[in-house]
Structures are given as C-alpha cells and as structure tokens.
Amino acid sequence: MTDHQEGRVRHEGRASATERGATVWLTGLPSAGKTTIAYELAGRLRAEGHRVEVLDGDEIREFLSAGLGFSREDRHTNVQRIGFVAELLASQGVKALVPVIAPYADSREAVRKRHHTEGTGYLEVHVATPVEVCSVRDVKGLYAKQAAGEISGLTGVDDPYEAPESPDLRIESHTQSVEESAAALHALLTERGLA
C-alpha cells in the first residue's frame, strides 16, 4: 500500500458523513431527469454541510472532453475522464454527483472498479425514465432533431443504451417528483453512511 493510499484509509476511518466523499453516478437516457435530480440532491446535501460538486455531462464535454465525438471509443474515453475527476474529488471528501448518460455497461464498470481500487465510495443510480417520456420532455430538442433526421446516434433511439442490471438505486422519475427522487437518493446515501 502506498503512503497516498494509507493516508486515504486513515482519513476515511475517522471521517464523519459530511467529510466522507463519494461519487454518485446518475445514468439514464437524454431528458431522463438526471441533472435535475443531481442539483436537487446537491442543494439538500450542501444545506447539511457537505462539500458537493455536480459534474454536468455537457460542461465536461465542453471543457474536459472537447474534440471527442460520439463513437463508442470516444464515449468510453469521456466516461473514464469523468470517472477519474469524480474519484479524485470524492477521495478528498467531496460528494461528486455525476448526471452523465454513460451508455455502456463496461465503461460504467471500469469507473466503479477505479473507485473500489482506491477505496472511494461509489453509487450507481439508474434514472429509469422510458424513452417515450424522455422524447416528450426533450429538454435539449435532441429527440426532435433525431426524428427530423438532423442528428443520428441518439442514445436509446438509434444508438445503444445498456441499462444497469443491478444499480444501487433505480429511480422512476416519471412516477415521482424531483423532490421524491432526490429524497430516495439521499436516503440511500444515509443508509450507506455517506450523508
């Protein structure tokens, strides 16, 4: 074990819930409600004294993954970069909330393994909103553009989305409010000693 890893283990052994970091990865289709739920949870956690960062997928693409496209390889690279940053933040006591599609199971599993190897808390949350609901919400107009033939490769429509088989939590945002969704996630964090 390196000095760096020993320091982490010692720190986590005495850290309170507000000092203990973790990554919460919210995966789901475009317009599923991932970002809205993440920001609702962030506000709740900050009010309790937690250090929180939301790693928004669109912002990451602009600043950290500029130049990457939407091929399987580029999507994998993007997810690994976000996973690295999230783990780094979480290892320093931050709750890193990551509302990012991450359509491929192997990419998400690689991020989980990185966290496990480093001894950093990690939760995978599937915001399981059906594509029919997402296409009506269409927050960014992506479904309309895809239907009009202006774009292709839309996750869950004409590009794959591999839904998690056994996430730590599955949220059906189309059957409950944003507040209820965030409360369910907060309850899981509390149960795991992270909130």
Side-chain angles (χ1 to χ4, degrees), residues 158-175:
D158 59 353
D159 213 50
Y161 176 72
E162 299 170 358
E165 290 182 15
S166 53
D168 295 288
L169 178 66
R170 194 175 314 277
I171 293 175
E172 309 222 351
S173 74
H174 57 294
T175 65

Side-chain angles (χ1 to χ4, degrees), residues 45-159:
L45 290 170
R46 284 188 185 112
E48 295 174 353
H50 297 272
R51 294 166 54 212
V52 182
E53 289 294 336
V54 177
L55 301 181
D56 182 272
D58 293 333
E59 291 176 1
I60 295 287
R61 274 218 173 253
E62 182 179 351
F63 296 107
L64 188 64
S65 294
L68 289 181
F70 291 90
S71 67
R72 185 179 180 107
E73 296 76 22
D74 282 358
R75 288 178 189 260
H76 179 77
T77 298
N78 185 48
V79 167
Q80 297 317 298
R81 287 178 184 177
I82 297 168
F84 175 80
V85 172
E87 195 282 325
L88 195 63
L89 288 168
S91 74
Q92 299 304 310
V94 175
K95 302 295 189 296
L97 309 183
V98 187
V100 173
I101 295 170
Y104 299 111
D106 59 345
S107 296
R108 295 190 306 266
E109 185 56 26
V111 172
R112 180 187 291 278
K113 283 182 178 170
R114 166 182 285 283
H115 281 71
H116 180 74
T117 298
E118 296 295 336
T120 305
Y122 181 84
L123 298 175
E124 181 179 75
V125 178
H126 181 205
V127 183
T129 310
V131 69
E132 300 78 20
V133 175
C134 294
S135 65
V136 170
R137 289 180 181 172
D138 205 9
V139 178
K140 298 172 192 162
L142 297 175
Y143 293 93
K145 288 179 181 176
Q146 191 277 337
E150 295 172 27
I151 62 169
S152 63
L154 181 59
T155 301
V157 178
D158 59 353
D159 213 50

